Amino acid sequence: MSDFTPLPHRQSVQNPATHPELTPELLQSLKTKTDAALALLRRIASAYAPAVFANSLGAEDMVLTDLILNNKLPLGIFSLDTGRLPTETYDLMAATEKHYNTRFAVFYPERAALENFVHTNGINAFYESVALRQTCCRIRKVEPLARALAGNKAWITGMRAAQSGTRQNLAVQTRDAEHGLEKFNPLLAWSEQEVWAYIRKHDVPYNPLHDQFYPSIGCAPCTRSLSIGEDIRAGRWWWENPETRECGLHVKQRLAASTNTP
Ligand code: SF4
């Protein structure tokens, strides 16, 4: 056993990042980015049907949720329930379904694989080693993702290039060879300010943990709040080296990212 001790969650204080000043310049850039994202989503819906949006319920994904549902785009939406999500994320999922009068498809880990992993390694084995953490992510996220994507021609994510060093070389459109479909990142060039300007302007539901300095939210035991100046993704698997801090949902696609643009 390691001597690792999880950090406690920090209490809420005012977070300026989630309340940007809606200046004319910001609203203009937001309009330009929104128009481009909507045009891309329409193209995906028409040229790559059936296509699905992998909704992690993070701030970026709430923007995409709003764009898709308010514009009645024929795109499927699904979420992965790892079984270790924060209570706030489940509450947001319920509130979002109510807000948009819809129901998301939710995919779960394969029962036998998860039970075997926990029985063998312990309930919090992800803190013990990178290998065990990645196995946990594979069982709880990667395998359910493959099931969720099966039968589709394209999938959509809310990844942004500015989120971390591991995402700076992403492209808006790439070939996801592992799953055999196209992958689109419509918000790739968006800034954090533009994401929050959209949420404020359109009164989009969002996870209150973002106000508590959690810019990136995953499973509860693997997510912590940030201090000023830290990388946006620094709160994910913070006990590991930055190079390993992806869950496996996007790593292979990142490495295989082409220079394609919409
Ligand atoms: S983020 Fe943590 S709890 Fe969630 S699947 Fe990965 S290792 Fe497991």
Side-chain angles (χ1 to χ4, degrees), residues 82 84 126 132-134 136-138 140-141 218-219 221-222 236-237 239 247:
T82 65
R84 300 296 298 255
F126 35 79
L132 285 173
R133 197 276 291 168
Q134 290 176 336
C136 186
C137 282
R138 188 168 65 248
R140 294 181 189 270
K141 295 180 176 181
C219 293
C222 300
R236 305 291 297 277
W237 311 290
W239 63 93
C247 58

Side-chain angles (χ1 to χ4, degrees), residues 127-205:
Y127 292 137
E128 300 295 327
S129 70
V130 172
L132 285 173
R133 197 276 291 168
Q134 290 176 336
T135 300
C136 186
C137 282
R138 188 168 65 248
I139 292 170
R140 294 181 189 270
K141 295 180 176 181
V142 178
E143 188 278 330
L145 173 71
R147 272 189 279 120
L149 296 181
N152 288 283
K153 290 184 180 171
W155 68 299
I156 299 159
T157 87
M159 295 174 82
R160 291 188 299 111
Q163 281 172 319
S164 74
T166 61
R167 297 185 173 184
Q168 285 174 357
N169 294 325
L170 287 172
V172 170
Q173 178 178 354
T174 64
R175 182 65 188 169
D176 179 352
E178 182 182 8
H179 297 108
L181 70 180
E182 292 296 302
K183 180 180 179 184
F184 292 90
N185 306 303
L187 305 189
L188 188 72
W190 285 46
S191 67
E192 185 180 26
Q193 265 199 331
E194 288 162 344
V195 168
W196 282 102
Y198 185 100
I199 288 172
R200 297 297 171 202
K201 184 169 186 286
H202 298 278
D203 201 19
V204 175

Side-chain angles (χ1 to χ4, degrees), residues 13-181:
V13 294
Q14 180 67 37
N15 182 358
T18 60
H19 295 78
E21 184 184 353
L22 301 182
T23 64
E25 294 77 20
L26 179 55
L27 291 174
Q28 182 54 50
S29 69
L30 176 63
K31 182 177 186 321
T32 302
K33 299 274 180 73
T34 301
D35 289 347
L38 190 52
L40 176 57
L41 290 171
R42 290 190 197 283
R43 185 168 75 83
I44 298 167
S46 64
Y48 293 92
V52 281
F53 165 45
N55 186 1
S56 72
L57 299 150
E60 292 80 5
D61 287 5
M62 295 313 300
V63 170
L64 287 170
T65 299
D66 192 76
L67 284 170
I68 290 169
L69 294 177
N70 273 345
N71 290 285
K72 298 183 169 44
L73 300 182
L75 297 164
I77 300 180
F78 72 86
S79 294
L80 305 179
D81 182 357
T82 65
R84 300 296 298 255
L85 300 177
T87 297
E88 290 87 347
T89 301
Y90 292 109
D91 289 346
L92 174 60
M93 190 182 300
T96 303
E97 289 187 336
K98 191 171 181 183
H99 183 87
Y100 296 100
N101 191 28
T102 190
R103 185 77 70 201
F104 298 149
V106 182
F107 288 78
Y108 291 86
E110 198 274 313
R111 181 187 62 79
L114 182 56
E115 287 184 358
N116 182 56
F117 177 75
V118 172
H119 290 167
T120 303
N121 301 293
I123 195 70
N124 281 346
F126 35 79
Y127 292 137
E128 300 295 327
S129 70
V130 172
L132 285 173
R133 197 276 291 168
Q134 290 176 336
T135 300
C136 186
C137 282
R138 188 168 65 248
I139 292 170
R140 294 181 189 270
K141 295 180 176 181
V142 178
E143 188 278 330
L145 173 71
R147 272 189 279 120
L149 296 181
N152 288 283
K153 290 184 180 171
W155 68 299
I156 299 159
T157 87
M159 295 174 82
R160 291 188 299 111
Q163 281 172 319
S164 74
T166 61
R167 297 185 173 184
Q168 285 174 357
N169 294 325
L170 287 172
V172 170
Q173 178 178 354
T174 64
R175 182 65 188 169
D176 179 352
E178 182 182 8
H179 297 108
L181 70 180

